Amino acid sequence: MREMSIMGTMRAIIPITRFNKGEANRIFEEVEADGTKIVMKNNRPACILMSPGDYETLMETLSDYILREEAESRMAGYKPEESMSQEEVMKSFGITEADLEDVDVEIE
């Protein structure tokens, strides 16, 4: 996503009347070419228009942030003396290495 300066923000503002005048296709082309647009209605932001790629990037960044916060929260309460090794966990569930040979695991 593109960073927005004050001038960039001013150029990103579009009045909703442009939609009322049938300029939607042109506005969408501007979003693709120039980035995010802020649609104003009654002098207030009504919605934000952005490309699907920028939206996906934004959602991934938000998801990464939430996961990081969760990881930090969990690590704050981590007590090494209360943890178990993989071998200990497998033994407690009666799982052997041979049991896992044909298991496919996908990690994101």
Side-chain angles (χ1 to χ4, degrees):
M1 286 185 10
R2 299 168 181 99
E3 288 188 35
M4 297 188 97
S5 64
I6 292 174
M7 290 305 294
T9 301
M10 295 300 290
R11 283 190 291 274
I13 294 174
I14 58 170
I16 198 158
T17 55
R18 286 190 59 196
F19 281 99
N20 298 338
K21 293 177 182 178
E23 294 184 36
N25 283 336
R26 186 165 184 204
I27 293 168
F28 296 149
E29 289 171 1
E30 290 173 15
V31 169
E32 191 62 37
D34 304 328
T36 304
K37 297 292 182 187
I38 304 165
V39 180
M40 303 294 284
K41 180 179 181 181
N42 298 325
N43 294 322
R44 300 186 74 169
C47 73
I48 305 295
L49 301 174
M50 64 177 52
S51 72
D54 285 350
Y55 179 78
E56 184 177 348
T57 299
L58 179 64
M59 292 297 103
E60 287 176 1
T61 301
L62 178 60
S63 178
D64 289 348
Y65 175 79
I66 291 169
L67 289 172
R68 180 173 177 246
E69 290 294 309
E70 179 66 24
E72 286 182 0
S73 172
R74 289 180 183 187
M75 290 305 295
Y78 172 68
K79 297 176 184 167
E81 64 276 3
E82 294 177 4
S83 64
M84 297 173 68
S85 69
Q86 177 180 342
E87 292 78 20
E88 291 170 321
V89 172
M90 288 174 62
K91 185 177 179 183
S92 71
F93 286 104
I95 300 171
T96 66
E97 289 289 334
D99 295 332
L100 301 177
E101 285 180 3
D102 294 327
V103 176
D104 289 326
V105 177
E106 185 176 319
I107 300 175
E108 275 189 35

